[in-house]
Amino acid sequence: MAEDLVLDTAIRDWVLIPLSVVMVLIGILRYFVSKLMLSSQVPDPKIVKEGQVIVRARNLRAAANFIPPKSFRSRRVYFSNEENGLLFVPKGQAQNPQAQMFSDPNMAMDMMKKNLSMIIPQTLTFAWVNFFFSGFVAAKIPFPLTQRFRSMLQNGIDLSSVDVSYVSSRSWYFLNLFGLRGLFSLILGEENATDDTQRMMQMSGFGFDPSKSLGAEKDGLDILQHEWALPKFEHRAEAVLKKLVR
Amino acid sequence: MVSKTEETQLNRLENQVDNGGGGAWEYLCLVRKLKARRSEKVLKYGLSILNDPEKRSALGPEEWTLYEQVAIAAMDCQCLDVAKDCIKALQKKFPESKRVGRLNGMLLEAKGSWGEAEKAYSSLLEDNPLDQVIHKRRVAMAKAQGNISGAIESLNKYLEIFMADHEAWRELADIYVSLQMYKQAAFCYEELILSQPTVPLYHLAYADVLYTLGGLENLHTAKKYYASTIDLTGGKNTRALFGICLCTSAIAQVSKGRNKEDKESPELHSLAATALEKDYKQRASDKLGLLTSALRSLKT
């Protein structure tokens, strides 16, 4: 049924705005708490070295055409040599990064702290929203939706005849959760602890996996064809000088 | 490296502060950001801000960064008492700080007590074995003491871990060139070109080293790199133009017997000579005679 429900403006005053304000405040609170709980991480020398090796290998791939072919080849051998090349990781040794992460107590603690600082406020806020702000229509989404979203967006409303565009406050909570990220990066500067979505994406791909990236760099280097760009430069220099002298 | 716009901005600010206009704090911030080395000015203006309690409190938490900057500038100008005062103030505020420990080490270095400075740095490194700045200070100490081979060794060890640090590669290349170890210097310059291929300075230096090494192949490669420098600088680099002329004549000398024609760029040599003459006419017309006679002797 496509009739327009008239929503009380009191809903806007007492539901939508306070919810957003509360979420912003909680975000700021989490930011400061995370700053207090920041433990200085001693970087592992092996990981630092591997990071630098990767940067150097990437530079080699990017600018390979600027150095003479002999130097490029010697560098390629240096990197991908079977015995002691920098990028070569023998198959057995490729450590399972998950196991490594759990065995290292510092890293495990850090991950737990980060997870907790994300999960607890989210859970609490969600429970609060459900308790106080359920059972009524909070807002109308401006575009039409299919019926499948009904269960997700209309959880407190038990009327099946209401249009799916009329949603409950739970969906407003989710909207704020993902949308306030931009606002936070404006207020708090980049690199704030409230960047949940980024963290959630990171959780699925388990952190820094050095052996895989080394292998990827090695493959990239192996297939690279060296085409020395310098002879072209002679012609270009000629053209430049011709223009200059004219 | 400082870009041209930033350099002009820095000079403008410097002139402004020199002639009595305000803006000392912006000047100091810019110097700090660009890591330029203008220690006398920094010392003068930094001290004027620090000694004025009103201005000092206006800075807020940035006051301590200013202390650090002035301390380093004072050590550079050998005003060690000023440096000691600044470091004492910093130590009172941040008693367990690694940064202050580093400044203490630098003060010992400036005084010339190398053994104590070495001890201070080693103890700092024990706590934090991956501190890049301390490693580099040790290399600088070895170099200042005249122990160049020790400097090379520590720099190589540093580069084994931090191989993406192009400033370190540059320093190593400088040291090798000063010791005339040109092959190793060429390797370092190749690393620099790899990491920053559009900076003409490295192409030029690499070409110089190759030209010095000599040998037909190296001379050809050097000529190519001089050409790339000309391309990257729009023909304005005098050294590269000279380099082209010298390379061409050297190649002609080395391959006197063989009839190997330079198919790739027959006109490059004459073009470079013409560009040089034009440049000299504009900027140093009294030396034009010298130039033409030198170029003529190269051609034969």
Side-chain angles (χ1 to χ4, degrees), chain B residues 26-249:
Chain B
E26 283 93 30
Y27 174 65
L28 290 170
C29 286
L30 193 58
V31 167
R32 193 169 46 234
K33 191 173 87 157
L34 299 176
K35 298 202 190 149
R37 195 172 177 174
R38 314 239 169 155
S39 307
E40 292 168 359
K41 299 264 160 72
V42 168
L43 187 59
K44 198 162 78 170
Y45 300 125
L47 272 184
S48 72
I49 293 188
L50 285 177
N51 286 332
D52 184 357
E54 221 180 63
K55 280 195 222 161
R56 195 167 70 204
S57 49
L59 292 176
E62 309 262 332
E63 173 187 353
W64 310 108
T65 356
L66 185 60
Y67 267 118
E68 191 183 13
Q69 196 179 4
V70 169
I72 298 184
M75 284 190 262
D76 209 9
C77 302
Q78 273 295 0
C79 305
L80 295 177
D81 325 315
V82 176
K84 221 197 295 215
D85 291 334
C86 294
I87 297 183
K88 236 192 301 197
L90 277 170
Q91 191 134 27
K92 236 190 321 178
K93 171 82 178 172
F94 304 108
E96 287 284 328
S97 162
K98 274 186 286 224
R99 263 166 97 168
V100 179
R102 199 164 64 205
L103 281 175
N104 270 323
M106 280 169 80
L107 185 61
L108 289 169
E109 243 188 281
K111 277 201 238 169
S113 17
W114 307 114
E116 294 182 19
E118 175 69 40
K119 258 195 291 194
Y121 284 142
S122 330
S123 67
L124 280 171
L125 270 181
E126 261 171 33
D127 300 326
N128 192 4
L130 290 177
D131 191 341
Q132 295 190 350
V133 182
I134 295 192
H135 275 113
K136 291 200 233 191
R137 287 264 30 109
R138 283 171 82 184
V139 173
M141 253 193 349
K143 198 170 167 199
Q145 288 175 274
N147 180 8
I148 303 264
S149 46
I152 292 185
E153 213 183 285
S154 6
L155 198 47
N156 270 322
K157 258 202 294 214
Y158 170 77
L159 277 171
E160 253 174 61
I161 308 181
F162 297 100
M163 44 178 80
D165 185 356
H166 60 95
E167 286 178 0
W169 283 112
R170 204 169 155 192
E171 183 64 32
L172 190 59
D174 267 344
I175 297 183
Y176 278 140
V177 164
S178 73
L179 290 176
Q180 298 185 337
M181 299 163 75
Y182 293 120
K183 278 218 198 83
Q184 289 90 333
F187 182 82
C188 299
Y189 279 125
E190 279 165 11
E191 284 294 324
L192 285 171
I193 294 183
L194 278 179
S195 58
Q196 292 175 316
T198 50
V199 172
L201 182 66
Y202 302 143
H203 288 252
L204 188 61
Y206 187 47
D208 278 341
V209 167
L210 284 174
Y211 177 71
T212 319
L213 274 174
L216 187 59
E217 203 182 311
N218 281 333
L219 285 173
H220 273 299
T221 324
K223 189 160 162 213
K224 296 192 168 63
Y225 278 100
Y226 280 126
S228 75
T229 317
I230 294 183
D231 186 36
L232 287 169
T233 56
K236 300 221 171 57
N237 195 323
T238 324
R239 254 172 90 175
L241 294 168
F242 267 120
I244 297 265
C245 303
L246 286 169
C247 272
T248 325
S249 75

Side-chain angles (χ1 to χ4, degrees), chain A residues 43 49 52 55-56 59-60 63 66-68 71 75 228 230 233-238 241-242 244-245, chain B residues 130 160-164 187 190-191 194 197 206 221 224-225 227 231 235 241 264-265 267-268 271 274 278:
Chain A
K49 179 173 177 188
Q52 299 263 327
V55 171
R56 191 176 168 198
N59 282 336
L60 179 62
F66 283 97
I67 57 174
S71 340
R75 280 188 167 81
W228 201 17
L230 264 297
F233 274 105
E234 277 200 45
H235 293 289
R236 280 165 63 168
E238 254 187 59
L241 283 180
K242 266 194 216 153
L244 200 65
V245 168
Chain B
L130 290 177
E160 253 174 61
I161 308 181
F162 297 100
M163 44 178 80
F187 182 82
E190 279 165 11
E191 284 294 324
L194 278 179
Y206 187 47
T221 324
K224 296 192 168 63
Y225 278 100
D231 186 36
L241 294 168
E264 290 176 336
S265 50
E267 299 182 351
L268 195 57
L271 276 175
T274 331
K278 189 162 163 217

Side-chain angles (χ1 to χ4, degrees), chain A residues 95-112:
Chain A
Q95 273 184 344
N96 192 1
Q98 281 203 11
Q100 189 185 38
M101 229 167 266
F102 285 130
S103 61
D104 187 5
N106 272 339
M107 261 210 275
M109 271 299 293
D110 263 342
M111 291 223 48
M112 249 187 39

Side-chain angles (χ1 to χ4, degrees), chain A residues 7-37:
Chain A
L7 295 173
D8 199 351
T9 46
I11 297 183
R12 182 193 65 211
D13 295 340
W14 293 100
V15 174
L16 300 184
I17 296 185
L19 195 53
S20 303
V21 165
V22 165
M23 288 187 75
V24 169
L25 289 177
I26 291 188
I28 298 184
L29 190 70
R30 266 171 54 193
Y31 171 68
F32 284 122
V33 167
S34 74
K35 275 224 153 145
L36 283 175
M37 294 205 313

Side-chain angles (χ1 to χ4, degrees), chain A residues 217-233:
Chain A
E217 285 294 330
K218 175 169 176 289
D219 292 332
L221 208 52
D222 279 336
I223 64 178
L224 186 62
Q225 290 277 17
H226 182 254
E227 212 185 271
W228 201 17
L230 264 297
K232 232 189 336 173
F233 274 105

